[in-house]
Amino acid sequence: MNVDELLNELQNTWYKTIPLSEFMQVQPLSFQESSFQESSFQNLGFQQQTLTVTAPIKPNINLHQTMFAGSIYTLATLTGWGMMWLQQQLQGFSGDIVLADATIRYLAPITEAPTALVTWPDVSLANLATGDKAKVKLEVALHCKGKLCATFSGLYFSIAKTSRIKIK
Amino acid sequence: MNVDELLNELQNTWYKTIPLSEFMQVQPLSFQESSFQESSFQNLGFQQQTLTVTAPIKPNINLHQTMFAGSIYTLATLTGWGMMWLQQQLQGFSGDIVLADATIRYLAPITEAPTALVTWPDVSLANLATGDKAKVKLEVALHCKGKLCATFSGLYFSIAKTSRIKIK
């Protein structure tokens, strides 16, 4: 399965199982993997994986004609959940993903479809292979018109199931 | 305007201006005012005002067949917003209510319509009369089947407008 197919499957999973995500028209935009290599430390190269997700303003409007606080939070929550789900596919594990707690700060009104971005903190989900759970703290940044409008921090757990597909 | 009429107006305000609240079928249940009087301190009587709000599971389901984390947060957010709105009506002020930041903890899965309860911390909104803003921290507790399932803490601001109706 390639990245575009995975993002389609992520959206289908949301829409089939979480009606609110379909009403909000939440949509994965991209999953990117960037390689970094410190020239003076040849062995310290690392990869940064990012997921971006969006949602239009119209179904998510509030009485100030900006994005509703509940929609902003839900978009951020699903972005983090989506990254957990993608990592399970990429690392070849399967687990039930749940959010334990979260904090959000609203910094500026969102007046058009924002971009929610999460970076994977390079954590292994190998615990899932032994029937244990994996615990990952994810930070999501929401930008609108080039400006940081909200920050979200969520603690996610994934509880072991059997292993699944691998990305090619 | 009596309390039932106010709760109806609150729901109408949500449904007219926040489409997500209508999709979630968020519904104010009660607004109660209880008087407490310490027998040994006759002059220390105080009033406790509580608002309860609910939403059904069906439009708010997730893939575990429990209430979606985004819906739980949104229900709590609207409960706090609703209390701010009611207090503005009760105290005779009007202001734009916004949420600055919030923290939520998910303690147990929610398997049937929960009750979200907020208690007013006995704060005056009189700042609104002088064109200033009022700042209130509200705690919302979500119960399901008699069990505490989530706690929410949100910092709300109300920014001054002209004064409005008074409760009778």
Side-chain angles (χ1 to χ4, degrees), chain A residues 107-110 114-115 142-150:
Chain A
L107 306 173
I110 293 179
T115 302
L142 284 102
H143 284 83
C144 174
K145 295 183 173 175
K147 189 174 170 184
L148 182 65
C149 290

Side-chain angles (χ1 to χ4, degrees), chain A residues 17-20 23-24 59 61-64 68 70-71 73-74 78 81 96-97 99-106, chain B residues 17-20 23-24 59 61-64 68 70-71 73-74 78 81 96-97 99-106:
Chain A
T17 60
I18 306 174
L20 202 71
F23 179 83
M24 287 178 57
I61 206 86
N62 65 11
L63 71 173
H64 310 300
F68 170 47
S71 289
Y73 174 92
T74 300
L78 287 171
W81 191 98
D96 286 330
I97 303 162
L99 181 62
D101 59 57
T103 296
I104 189 163
R105 288 178 206 284
Y106 301 97
Chain B
T17 60
I18 306 173
L20 202 72
F23 179 82
M24 288 179 56
I61 205 89
N62 65 11
L63 71 172
H64 309 301
F68 171 47
S71 288
Y73 175 92
T74 300
L78 287 171
W81 191 98
D96 285 329
I97 303 162
L99 180 61
D101 58 57
T103 295
I104 190 163
R105 288 178 206 284
Y106 301 98

Side-chain angles (χ1 to χ4, degrees), chain A residues 40-92:
Chain A
S40 51
F41 300 98
Q42 289 293 328
N43 296 324
L44 290 182
F46 65 95
Q47 288 189 320
Q48 195 177 52
Q49 294 174 319
T50 57
L51 168 69
T52 60
V53 181
T54 192
I57 289 288
K58 199 175 171 195
N60 297 300
I61 206 86
N62 65 11
L63 71 173
H64 310 300
Q65 302 300 304
T66 60
M67 199 174 204
F68 170 47
S71 289
I72 296 170
Y73 174 92
T74 300
L75 173 58
T77 293
L78 287 171
T79 303
W81 191 98
M83 179 55 107
M84 289 291 287
W85 184 90
L86 283 167
Q87 289 296 328
Q88 290 187 172
Q89 313 303 316
L90 290 163
Q91 298 185 28

Side-chain angles (χ1 to χ4, degrees), chain B residues 28-48:
Chain B
L29 288 178
S30 69
F31 178 75
Q32 291 177 327
E33 202 162 25
S34 318
S35 292
F36 294 87
Q37 193 91 23
E38 281 279 350
S39 59
S40 50
F41 300 98
Q42 289 293 328
N43 296 325
L44 293 181
F46 66 94
Q47 288 188 323
Q48 193 177 53

Side-chain angles (χ1 to χ4, degrees), chain B residues 121-140:
Chain B
D122 200 19
V123 171
S124 166
L125 298 177
N127 273 5
L128 296 175
T130 57
D132 205 351
K133 63 188 172 196
K135 174 182 168 183
V136 186
K137 188 155 200 168
L138 293 177
E139 315 285 339
V140 181

